[in-house]
Amino acid sequence: MSPSKSKLFSLFYKRSLTILSLILVLLFNFETTFSQNENKNKSYETVYQQDFSEDTTDWNLEPDNYDWGSIEYSFKDGMYCWSMDLQEGRSNIVIPSNIIPLPEEGYQISVETSFDPACKGCDSGIMFNAQDPSNYYFVGLDVKGYVSIYANQNNKWDEIVENIKSKNFDSSGMNKITVINEGNNFQIQINDSRLTIFKDNRFKEGIFGLVAEGPKKTKTTVCFDNLEVLKTKK
């Protein structure tokens, strides 16, 4: 190849990479904006809201003490916090005392959550469309920003989507998890940015709860804030 052609090829290659990078950035920004606008264009009605700024009887404060460990519950700094001291690996679920069915016509449920970043193997999230303690969906966010989505059917776990790392994860603060439902279609968002969508028809409607998990010898605190359930207006 002649020197002039070599320079021309090099220039073309660099410009192509630059254009490709710009296209990828634009696509990412478009997807984020589209996801946010898509939700704004839908009309919702509030079913339940809880910011935990004041003590409430909706959520359990009685401590758990079992062979697997203990959990103490409290309202602290306007959040609902669980102090976990686990001797065995444990997934803990708490539902509101006044059971709130998720709307049949579609819904959006969201909560902000935080864990100690040093808690390896810990995650927190939402149980949704729960039919009973053995049948429900679960979405969890771990301390590294990875999201897991499972169906627990008759106490058998099925991974719906492979673990995905959120680009909008805040390792030093609260992170908002959102589930949007319409029929058999679901969308998962982290900090108001769409992470993934999936379709599944195992569980219809049902109830929701808050979830925290940790391996054995875990001693940490997980907190929840700004819980909201919205119903899709038809």
Side-chain angles (χ1 to χ4, degrees), residues 23-215:
I23 290 172
L24 290 174
V25 169
L26 288 171
L27 284 173
F28 174 76
N29 290 336
F30 172 79
E31 182 179 357
T32 302
T33 304
F34 178 79
S35 174
Q36 294 170 344
N37 290 339
E38 185 180 26
N39 295 330
K40 289 178 182 177
N41 290 335
K42 286 187 177 181
S43 182
Y44 290 99
E45 177 183 331
T46 300
V47 174
Y48 179 80
Q49 279 183 325
Q50 182 57 258
D51 64 4
F52 303 108
S53 58
E54 298 179 359
D55 290 1
T56 172
T57 57
D58 289 353
W59 294 90
N60 175 55
L61 289 177
E62 293 295 321
D64 292 330
N65 291 285
Y66 297 98
D67 291 340
W68 50 258
S70 64
I71 302 178
E72 295 185 356
Y73 304 91
S74 64
F75 298 120
K76 181 180 179 182
D77 299 326
M79 297 181 290
Y80 183 40
C81 296
W82 308 359
S83 295
M84 306 170 65
D85 187 357
L86 305 180
Q87 303 307 309
E88 300 175 6
R90 178 76 181 174
S91 176
N92 190 62
I93 301 172
V94 177
I95 62 174
S97 55
N98 295 320
I99 293 176
I100 303 162
L102 292 169
E104 178 183 0
E105 54 269 53
Y107 63 82
Q108 176 174 312
I109 179 171
S110 61
V111 70
E112 295 176 11
T113 182
S114 69
F115 246 125
D116 179 353
C119 187
K120 294 181 180 180
C122 296
D123 64 8
S124 56
I126 305 171
M127 174 189 74
F128 55 103
N129 286 33
Q131 313 298 298
D132 55 52
S134 303
N135 294 277
Y136 55 85
Y137 297 117
F138 164 72
V139 56
L141 177 67
D142 74 13
V143 296
K144 293 185 177 180
Y146 283 91
V147 175
S148 54
I149 306 166
Y150 285 87
N152 182 16
Q153 187 170 27
N154 298 322
N155 283 328
K156 293 182 179 179
W157 290 95
D158 179 28
E159 185 179 52
I160 297 175
V161 179
E162 289 187 7
N163 286 8
I164 310 170
K165 187 166 186 178
S166 169
K167 296 178 181 177
N168 299 295
F169 176 70
D170 181 358
S171 60
S172 61
M174 300 290 284
N175 288 276
K176 182 179 178 182
I177 304 171
T178 302
V179 178
I180 301 173
N181 164 259
E182 187 173 345
N184 297 330
N185 300 298
F186 297 87
Q187 180 183 149
I188 306 298
Q189 296 184 354
I190 300 298
N191 295 327
D192 296 320
S193 180
R194 184 171 68 179
L195 181 73
T196 189
I197 58 175
F198 68 91
K199 190 170 186 175
D200 198 281
N201 62 3
R202 273 172 278 203
F203 310 128
K204 309 284 187 181
E205 307 155 45
I207 64 173
F208 71 91
L210 302 177
V211 185
E213 298 181 323

